[in-house]
Amino acid sequence: MRRPYAQMQKLLDATQPKGRRYYWKSEYLPGIEPALCDKVMAHAERIRSPHSAVILFQLGGALNAHDDDHSAVGNRDARYVFNAGGAWEKPEDDAVNIAWAREAWDDLKAFSTGGTYINFLTEDEGPERIAAALGPALGRLAKIKRRWDPDNRFRVNRNIAPG
């Protein structure tokens, strides 16, 4: 179903109310296979909070219709996104919920294309994950950044250093 961009941006808002604590880890996947499903179910059984979830998003269409050099979107070979989405209420539960998401992610990385969605990156992920998210486009974006932002003033989100 076609939806306006603003509507797409709000799809998950109701599932992520303000005040909860969140931590997630994600990977792009080339497909779904039985061994992956077994691991997803095993990690779903170990969820630490009723607000957490193991999610598989299907991709397709425009993402996969263009070549890698078409735009800044990387990983055009991805067909799915795996997300270990931790969500909980109390700060004292941070460690167990973050550990659950990291363990699920570590276990499922073997099925990854090697890439990820840049907006799913967490604060503790470094430049190598930005490179995994952007793929070949990173070099082009670094050149643009060097031209338009050589002092790297726009560096708060997932930073692309001026190339």
Side-chain angles (χ1 to χ4, degrees):
M1 170 189 344
R2 292 182 150 256
R3 295 184 177 156
Y5 179 79
Q7 183 183 12
M8 288 297 296
Q9 291 298 313
K10 294 178 183 180
L11 277 178
L12 297 179
D13 288 357
T15 66
Q16 299 179 349
K18 290 183 180 182
R20 276 199 192 136
R21 305 177 72 75
Y22 299 98
Y23 185 85
W24 54 83
K25 299 296 275 186
S26 299
E27 288 290 323
Y28 278 137
L29 305 170
I32 303 293
E33 57 186 88
L36 170 88
C37 294
D38 291 342
K39 288 186 178 280
V40 166
M41 289 186 290
H43 288 287
E45 290 175 353
R46 292 193 288 274
I47 286 175
R48 303 302 302 248
S49 164
H51 306 297
S52 295
V54 178
I55 304 165
L56 293 170
F57 295 97
Q58 185 175 10
L59 302 173
L63 174 73
N64 306 116
H66 299 286
D67 293 331
D68 283 338
D69 62 355
H70 177 265
S71 64
V73 175
N75 298 287
R76 292 186 180 276
D77 58 339
R79 296 297 186 261
Y80 295 86
V81 176
F82 157 76
N83 189 313
W88 61 99
E89 301 285 342
K90 300 175 186 169
E92 57 266 24
D93 295 332
D94 286 2
V96 296
N97 285 282
I98 291 170
W100 169 79
R102 287 178 178 162
E103 288 166 9
W105 175 68
D106 280 338
D107 200 23
L108 287 152
K109 280 192 292 188
F111 300 95
S112 175
T113 63
T116 190
Y117 179 49
I118 196 160
N119 288 343
F120 285 168
L121 295 179
T122 54
E123 292 177 359
D124 59 353
E125 295 181 279
E128 73 284 350
R129 295 290 286 161
I130 294 170
L134 296 173
L138 179 60
R140 289 189 356 241
L141 293 169
K143 288 178 186 175
I144 293 167
K145 181 88 176 247
R146 181 177 61 224
R147 179 174 178 198
W148 294 99
D149 184 20
D151 298 325
N152 204 21
R153 291 191 178 156
F154 296 100
R155 63 183 176 275
V156 177
N157 293 334
R158 301 294 137 224
N159 188 39
I160 297 168

